[in-house]
Amino acid sequence: AVVFCHNDQVPGVSASLDGLFHRMALLIWQKTTPMPVANKHYFPELEIYFHAWNRGYHPQGELADLKRVFACRSRALKDFGHPTVKPDELMNKIIRNVAGQSISDPFMGTGSTGVAAVRAGRTFTGIEHNPTHFATACALIEAAWQELQVAT
């Protein structure tokens, strides 16, 4: 399981994952282009996520993929009209790290996880309740699928 959270949510997410999985790691995406905030909080240049797994599903990937801190540009809100769109580079790294063939995202947003899963040749299932974001996700995942078909 991979779970993104705000730093205020770390204790609760950690407690929720504890006991459900064999191991877990706290990881950080360092945003090289964070958006400013007006909510009287720290500047959001870091986004925290957990990767939790059971025996036989340990993190995969090359040594560079196994670092706990990963830096890349964030996407602008104007790109998709969604406040937390994850960049392709980050999601590709996460999908490379996750073991197993099936990827599920119950809060799919604009489909970044699905695009990375399709590009990695994985099976993807996504859920999104916002019809606008769902339509964006379907279009982006379909485009990734078409790119894969043309390449093969």
Side-chain angles (χ1 to χ4, degrees), residues 17-95:
L17 294 173
D18 190 34
L20 293 177
F21 296 92
H22 174 65
R23 302 281 307 267
M24 71 175 143
L26 179 69
L27 301 118
I28 296 171
W29 163 36
Q30 181 181 6
K31 300 175 183 180
T32 57
T33 54
M35 296 185 339
V37 294
N39 64 356
K40 299 181 182 178
H41 213 296
Y42 285 96
F43 196 68
E45 78 278 12
L46 303 175
E47 191 162 336
I48 297 165
Y49 65 100
F50 286 90
H51 180 186
W53 63 93
N54 286 321
R55 285 184 173 90
Y57 292 93
H58 59 279
Q60 310 291 302
E62 301 296 323
L63 186 58
D65 288 334
L66 298 176
K67 293 181 179 177
R68 292 179 183 263
V69 177
F70 183 78
C72 68
R73 290 181 64 89
S74 52
R75 282 207 156 131
L77 175 62
K78 65 180 175 53
D79 290 345
F80 296 102
H82 190 286
T84 61
V85 175
K86 304 299 185 279
D88 290 347
E89 189 178 359
L90 172 66
M91 296 314 298
N92 291 340
K93 174 228 186 290
I94 289 172
I95 295 300

Side-chain angles (χ1 to χ4, degrees), residues 107-150:
F107 306 99
M108 166 170 74
T110 58
S112 301
T113 305
V115 169
V118 165
R119 288 180 177 158
R122 309 278 187 92
T123 303
F124 177 74
T125 302
I127 301 167
E128 175 54 50
H129 78 281
N130 181 306
T132 302
H133 298 324
F134 183 78
T136 300
C138 289
L140 292 173
I141 293 166
E142 176 65 26
W145 178 254
Q146 292 301 328
E147 288 172 16
L148 193 62
Q149 299 308 304
V150 170

